[in-house]
Amino acid sequence: MDRMIKAFERFAISYAFVIIIYVLISIAGIFDPLGNEMALQLMCVCLVIAVLHLGLGFLPIKSERALCFLYFVVEAMVVMFMGFVVFDFFVMSITFFLYLGGMLVAVFVGTYLISYHDDWKKAEEINEIIRRNQK
């Protein structure tokens, strides 16, 4: 159950980042303005990524770097597949893909850092309880 809650938290964080960055890029005229349909499509993309990340968390991968790399590859593959095949919202221009790549990296790093900080705070709380109980 804890993993499900964590996956939902990551979904919510990543979706917030996606919407904010998308709006900023659309103000610059690179992406189309955000409408209801696009907001729902982006939500679906974020949800699929969160579910796949949840599944990847069950794999016996010990290396944090390998898991982080795998998470990013999954994110990029889902965005490319859903953007081209499912929703057909990609524009074939180098500027679009440069901004999209920057958006992917920013969302991934932002979500990862917030999740890492949250995990670190929880670990500190657990360590404090252990220290108190050892006295």
Side-chain angles (χ1 to χ4, degrees):
M1 188 65 169
D2 232 14
R3 286 185 185 210
M4 294 287 288
I5 293 170
K6 188 75 170 163
F8 181 75
E9 287 175 357
R10 287 184 178 152
F11 159 72
I13 293 166
S14 65
Y15 184 60
F17 274 117
V18 165
I19 294 299
I20 292 167
I21 294 170
Y22 187 97
V23 167
L24 293 174
I25 294 173
S26 70
I27 289 171
I30 307 300
F31 293 174
D32 291 334
L34 183 65
N36 292 339
E37 184 178 348
M38 180 57 74
L40 289 174
Q41 290 173 350
L42 293 172
M43 183 187 73
C44 288
V45 171
C46 290
L47 186 60
V48 168
I49 291 169
V51 169
L52 290 174
H53 282 187
L54 174 66
L56 290 175
F58 289 103
L59 295 177
I61 299 173
K62 300 292 183 201
S63 170
E64 182 71 28
R65 285 185 182 183
L67 192 58
C68 187
F69 178 74
L70 186 58
Y71 280 164
F72 184 75
V73 168
V74 165
E75 176 185 325
M77 298 293 284
V78 168
V79 168
M80 297 303 276
F81 176 77
M82 292 185 81
F84 275 118
V85 177
V86 178
F87 297 124
D88 190 33
F89 56 66
F90 283 154
V91 176
M92 299 306 283
S93 77
I94 190 69
T95 305
F96 177 87
F97 282 104
L98 287 174
Y99 277 90
L100 179 65
M103 183 176 168
L104 282 173
V105 170
V107 169
F108 182 79
V109 169
T111 303
Y112 181 82
L113 289 176
I114 289 174
S115 295
Y116 179 82
H117 181 264
D118 188 44
D119 290 344
W120 178 78
K121 280 184 6 186
K122 288 177 184 172
E124 286 296 312
E125 290 170 6
I126 292 169
N127 289 336
E128 181 60 32
I129 291 169
I130 292 170
R131 280 192 287 273
R132 277 187 276 163
N133 288 338
Q134 288 179 345
K135 291 182 181 182

